Amino acid sequence: MKKISMLIVISLFFSCSMSKIKEEKASNFYVGTYTDGESEGIYKYQINADGKLKQIGLVAKTNNPSYLAKTKDNKTLLAVDETNENGTGFVNSFRIEKDSLVFVSKSQSGGTHPCFVSINDDNQVLVANYSGGNVGILEIDNQSGLTNLLAVQQHVGNTIHPKQQKPHAHFAKFHPTKNEIIAVDLGTNQLWFSAFDELKNELQFTNQKTLNMNVGAGPRHFTFHPNNKWLYVVNELNNTVSLVKEKENLYVIDQTIAMLPKDFKNYSKAADIHISKDGQFVYASNRGYESIVIYKIHPENGTLKLVGFQDVKGKHPRNFSLSPDDNFLLVANKDSNNIVSFKRDNKSGKLTFVDEIFAPNPVCVLF
């Protein structure tokens, strides 16, 4: 009996130890939403080592936080307020305190309906204003919050598609290795290139200024390859992904590949794009075909080859994210009000369903 009791104690000990290890390996993430329905703002969730999801709760009541970003030190969270209030939208900053977000500051975004925000290691902040068709730049301090707008870059132009009758800035990011800002404009059908002059507080176009995407493409977001030389642009309107490279100091389109099966004829539009940390796989989301498309990256030239598609177990996968360890991919399905986790095979790139959880109007996942 003593031996049996000892075995039970040892078994319980190891069981508790394993549970503790899995709990320690759990990762927290924030979910941005649209607040025109059941949502009240920004929510916090957790994914454990097995890919199971847990809701921690509402952490900030705020209007339409449709895109989120964090400072490098993880002390401050930024959220757009995608609205039009007297001709402008806003960006809010929050101090991260355990399972809550404490409001710090609010600044104008430079245009109406800001839909994207990003931040570099120097705490400079870019905001893409969709309806305003422009990009604003600000700075952030963890104590005092956001500055007022430092500069605004206005885009001009239009093209053939009904959604391209005026500029629609959808994404803006700092280049990781040089003083360059790359903005994506769905309306003008272009990538825009500029640099920030800190002495003059001006966004100045580079010599190239723009890169025209394929006619009717409608570029929306892009992701850098870990080598910082290749860009993968997701095109919303023609459902493609384009590989963009620099050749002789000019950006050019090197390849464009379809995001939908050849036999799919119904309406769909692309949304988000991300790359695995090892630089081997690109993932992009389809709204309509309701899937994540998976591509394998050629290690020498960066070209993409289709691996397959993963059903997202929901509707309208506007945004998704890879977990910090790259073991899981989490999809925010706006129209079905759920977050879905998939286990990622790092050799094949393929995804396997693990878990799903309710989330009201989720449109952004931020680890």
Side-chain angles (χ1 to χ4, degrees), residues 238-258:
N238 73 354
N239 302 290
T240 62
V241 172
S242 295
L243 167 59
V244 174
K245 296 180 179 179
E246 276 191 274
K247 293 183 179 180
E248 299 179 357
N249 296 319
L250 288 176
Y251 288 96
V252 297
I253 299 172
D254 190 73
Q255 179 202 23
T256 295
I257 187 170

Side-chain angles (χ1 to χ4, degrees), residues 155-161 163-168 185-190 192:
H155 298 170
V156 293
N158 58 72
T159 182
I160 62 169
H161 195 279
K163 288 188 176 182
Q164 296 179 314
Q165 298 307 298
K166 65 176 185 176
H168 289 303
D185 197 300
L186 185 147
T188 69
N189 206 54
Q190 296 167 317
W192 293 68

Side-chain angles (χ1 to χ4, degrees), residues 84-98:
N84 179 359
E85 187 175 310
N86 298 320
T88 188
F90 302 93
V91 187
N92 295 308
S93 75
F94 300 87
R95 186 168 61 252
I96 298 172
E97 292 188 356
K98 295 183 179 179

